[in-house]
Amino acid sequence: MIRSVRLRNFKAWEDTGVVEFAPITGFFGANSAGKSSLMQFILMMKQTAEASDRALILNFGDDRSLVELGTFADAVYQHNQDLTIGLSLEWELPKPLRASVSHNGSDEVLETPTLGFELKVGANGNGRALVESFAYTIAHLHIGMVRKRRGNYELEVSPADVDLRRRPGRPAIISETIKCYGFPDMLRAAYDKSEVLADLPLEFERLFTRVYYLGPLRDQPKRRYAWAGAEPSSMGARGEEAVAALLAGRLRGKHLSLGKGKRRRSLEEIVAYWLEQLGMVEEFGVEEIAPGTNTYRVWLRTDRSARKVLLTDVGFGVSQVLPVLTLAYYAPAGSIIILEHPEIHLHPAVQSALADVLISAVQSRQLQIIVESHSEHFLRRLQRRIAEEHIRNDDVALYFCDRSGGRSRLSRLDVDLFGEISNWPEAFFGDEFDEMAQTDLAAARRRAAAEQ
């Protein structure tokens, strides 16, 4: 789980400050206030970690990527290439990491359940990204690489009385890093206690393999879906792999938990259960059109007396929420799921109930879910469930983004044990009272004009 992030000089953010994350983390606020940039940085790091090019410093993406950010000049704050983009990241490990080092000449084994990472990336004279420095924090040890005046890199370890025992004759200066977070093979060969130099980047990559993303624009529903048995690695940014994931889940034959005291169900049964709980359908299923065709259709029944219809023949809401429900239970337990506007095309009552889906998935599957939303109904349900003690207020981190003087600002909402927010921002979801007042004034004017 991501514990905290801090961004500097990235897109709209000069400095986010330390943003603490929780099992459910929500970002709200006006359009173009910087909410999406927070998600985009995580996605950029994911596609960097997964890139095959070891020399690629940051993968800003293209039209086939999760996120496309252009160039360093496009991504840096105010397009000022004299600035450095900075990242501070802390995350929990699936299991504690052990590292052997030399401390005051004696061997010492460090063990930690969390890792920290700091990165500074600048631009070279041609506008391409280059690493200024990166460093990991493991227990009390800081270990990383720093760019020197001639453009080469040197290993830095602190405190000064900790070392990795450099082998005689091996160089201390290296000409490159692996991407923006990795120690080169030549450096690892130069030290006796070099296992940590391999383990740290590996944990960094493992973190981002656990990140799954569903964007705000969903795929159009189809009358037919082809599936030849492959298991999709994700839901696709537009949810285009949702039906394939359902079928892959059927092939796996695994049954998943909906929480303590509830019977375990297949992925397809869980999705059908939640669609019913959301009040959207009575029945739901995926069936092959004819045996051996590898072509499937999604059907549903809106109420018990209705006939079965295809997904394409009902309102847009079911097809929009289907990838959200599927991803929440298809992604492996312990995953980090990023959802942009999961409430799109949903009725306000369904937007509220969607919060219950995410709470249940987080609690039963140890997920971390990061949400960008404009939905007051979604937020209000989270507050209610905190008050009802379905989820602790410490397990929810909510933020409000706004923009002032050309700069994005981030404020954490203070949510107490009763779900109440003590620092509710002005006009958080618009000015409802002003709308009501202006409506009353307009009505009064029309009545007065009609009486003349």
Side-chain angles (χ1 to χ4, degrees):
M1 184 178 87
I2 295 173
R3 296 182 64 170
S4 66
V5 171
R6 183 176 185 176
L7 303 182
R8 298 177 183 86
N9 299 322
F10 180 69
K11 298 196 73 174
W13 296 100
E14 183 177 24
D15 190 346
T16 62
V18 177
V19 184
E20 296 179 339
F21 283 58
I24 295 180
T25 305
F27 295 95
F28 303 84
N31 292 325
S32 302
K35 302 185 302 300
S36 296
S37 300
L38 293 162
M39 317 291 179
Q40 288 171 351
F41 200 99
I42 297 173
L43 296 176
M44 180 179 67
M45 298 310 295
K46 175 180 174 64
Q47 60 199 31
T48 299
E50 295 178 350
S52 58
D53 185 355
R54 287 158 55 100
L56 184 64
I57 302 303
L58 287 174
N59 186 353
F60 292 108
D62 54 29
D63 57 2
R64 298 166 295 174
S65 305
L66 293 175
V67 63
E68 183 180 7
L69 300 175
T71 64
F72 181 91
D74 297 314
V76 71
Y77 179 67
Q78 295 185 345
H79 309 296
N80 184 352
Q81 296 187 62
D82 292 330
L83 299 176
T84 58
I85 294 175
L87 165 69
S88 299
L89 172 68
E90 184 183 9
W91 72 98
E92 295 177 4
L93 301 170
K95 61 180 181 180
L97 175 67
R98 293 168 60 88
S100 176
V101 297
S102 178
H103 186 199
N104 287 326
S106 301
D107 290 346
E108 179 181 349
V109 176
L110 304 176
E111 184 170 329
T112 179
T114 65
L115 276 182
F117 177 76
E118 292 194 8
L119 171 69
K120 292 181 180 179
V121 175
N124 63 15
N126 298 318
R128 296 177 63 86
L130 61 83
V131 175
E132 295 291 347
S133 66
F134 72 78
Y136 293 89
T137 300
I138 170 173
H140 63 273
L141 174 67
H142 302 277
I143 181 167
M145 298 191 74
V146 177
R147 184 172 179 267
K148 297 301 181 179
R149 184 170 296 178
R150 294 187 179 182
N152 293 327
Y153 292 86
E154 186 173 88
L155 182 72
E156 284 200 353
V157 180
S158 65
D161 56 4
V162 175
D163 67 66
L164 304 181
R165 292 184 180 170
R166 185 158 61 90
R167 294 167 180 165
R170 298 289 181 142
I173 300 293
I174 302 296
S175 61
E176 60 183 12
T177 65
I178 295 178
K179 300 182 182 177
C180 62
Y181 59 86
F183 303 94
D185 299 337
M186 186 186 301
L187 186 67
R188 297 206 300 267
Y191 290 86
D192 287 329
K193 294 187 173 296
S194 63
E195 294 88 350
V196 68
L197 301 181
D199 291 343
L200 292 172
L202 182 59
E203 291 296 344
F204 184 90
E205 291 175 346
R206 283 174 175 163
L207 168 67
F208 290 101
T209 61
R210 300 197 299 273
V211 172
Y212 293 80
Y213 170 67
L214 184 61
L217 303 176
R218 314 285 154 70
D219 224 24
Q220 291 273 4
K222 300 175 183 177
R223 303 192 77 82
R224 296 177 179 83
Y225 293 86
W227 183 68
E231 290 198 21
S233 59
S234 71
M235 211 56 45
R238 299 174 64 94
E240 62 270 20
E241 299 292 344
V243 174
L246 287 170
L247 292 166
R250 181 190 295 177
L251 189 65
R252 288 179 186 175
K254 291 185 179 180
H255 285 66
L256 306 168
S257 173
L258 271 169
K260 188 176 181 180
K262 297 181 180 180
R263 71 175 181 88
R264 299 174 74 86
R265 309 176 194 225
S266 68
L267 174 61
E268 200 170 335
E269 288 174 330
I270 286 177
V271 170
Y273 167 82
W274 279 120
L275 286 172
E276 183 179 359
Q277 294 299 306
L278 294 172
M280 304 184 80
V281 306
E282 286 285 343
E283 291 183 73
F284 168 88
V286 182
E287 62 184 13
E288 195 170 14
I289 292 176
T293 61
N294 291 337
T295 304
Y296 296 80
R297 59 188 176 190
V298 180
W299 63 269
L300 52 89
R301 200 189 308 272
T302 54
D303 60 67
R304 296 190 187 280
S305 60
R307 299 179 62 182
K308 293 197 318 186
V309 296
L310 296 183
L311 182 62
T312 50
D313 298 331
V314 295
F316 221 46
V318 176
S319 64
Q320 298 301 285
V321 78
L322 180 61
V324 179
L325 302 179
T326 305
L327 179 57
Y329 289 89
Y330 180 77
S335 295
I336 301 165
I337 294 178
I338 297 174
L339 301 173
E340 284 197 69
H341 303 292
E343 76 277 3
I344 283 180
H345 297 296
L346 298 182
H347 184 275
V350 180
Q351 294 180 29
S352 297
L354 189 59
D356 291 329
V357 177
L358 302 188
I359 289 171
S360 178
V362 162
Q363 293 177 337
S364 64
R365 311 200 65 237
Q366 294 77 53
L367 300 178
Q368 181 176 39
I369 297 181
I370 304 167
V371 180
E372 178 189 346
S373 177
H374 289 300
S375 175
E376 179 179 4
H377 308 284
F378 176 83
L379 174 60
R380 293 294 192 186
R381 180 60 59 87
L382 286 176
Q383 292 180 263
R384 173 183 164 185
R385 294 311 188 208
I386 291 170
E388 294 173 341
E389 299 183 90
H390 289 285
I391 188 170
R392 299 186 311 155
N393 63 324
D394 291 344
D395 288 336
V396 177
L398 303 175
Y399 291 89
F400 178 74
C401 301
D402 67 346
R403 197 167 175 84
S404 177
R407 297 181 179 182
S408 291
R409 301 181 303 181
L410 192 65
S411 304
R412 182 164 183 174
L413 304 180
D414 296 327
V415 187
D416 65 17
L417 295 171
F418 309 103
E420 296 178 354
I421 296 175
S422 59
N423 59 337
W424 194 270
E426 184 178 352
F428 191 175
F429 289 109
D431 193 339
E432 180 181 359
F433 291 106
D434 184 61
E435 292 293 324
M436 294 169 62
Q438 294 300 325
T439 300
D440 289 342
L441 285 172
R445 292 192 198 101
R446 291 188 65 179
R447 291 191 191 97
E451 292 172 359
Q452 291 178 357

